[in-house]
Amino acid sequence: MNVLIHRLPRNLSIIKPASHCTSCGEYVRFFDNIPVLSWVILGGRCRFCKSKISLMYPITELLTGLLFLFSYMRFGLGAEFVLAVCLIIVTVSAGFADLYSAIDTENFECGIIPDSLIVFGLISGFITSYIVHGNILFPVYGAAVGFLALYIPAMLYKMVRKREGMGFGDIKLVSVCGAFLGLKSVFFLVFCSALLGAVVGILWQLTARRKDMMIPFGPFISAAAIIYLFFETRMDRLLYGV
Ligand SMILES: [Zn+2]
């Protein structure tokens, strides 16, 4: 997934070349490519040129591993587990890709959510959610309403203010999450991601040095989708009182 996160926004192949050090270009040996563990054993440095390997690599690996484990504990091994794993792959990759491309202002002007992740998300979301719920309308309504829930306000904003208020990638990501999680999740996704975004945005304005940076919205959508995946019943009760 780190390969997806770093290469997809740059339109690089995710197959070739094999994992390599971004400083010296030396290939990562298979025994140095064990999630989390290799980073710790190598002391967070390249075996060859000793340049630092970002802490974000093991963090992404650890987070993904834990989320897979929670999915297994929550859903067991079945169709729901496959749905959960696909959703986690899409949301974690999209969230971090968006975040890193927003931070990397030398190469990107804003955060990027790669279209290939959106396509993978829509396909796997439709298939797994159809199998779990036995109803093709479940992902159809979720994806359609997820799209419109942000597309309409974004268009209105653009008409009034004459500038982009929300990235199209964010709109597509909510639609993908809607395909996985259904119509009812959309209101939670919009509400929760806006709330998280507002809290982080305020903290950012109070503490950060680079106040000009556009805060990417993708990570908050991803966080909201993962919260809903695990706490659907509680979140529904919170929002709808049922
Ligand atoms: Zn190196």
Side-chain angles (χ1 to χ4, degrees), residues 21 23-26 46 48-51:
C21 172
S23 296
C24 67
E26 194 64 55
C46 168
F48 304 97
C49 69
K50 304 293 173 203
S51 61

Side-chain angles (χ1 to χ4, degrees), residues 190-203:
V190 173
F191 172 74
C192 180
S193 57
L195 188 69
L196 291 172
V199 171
V200 172
I202 290 166
L203 289 175

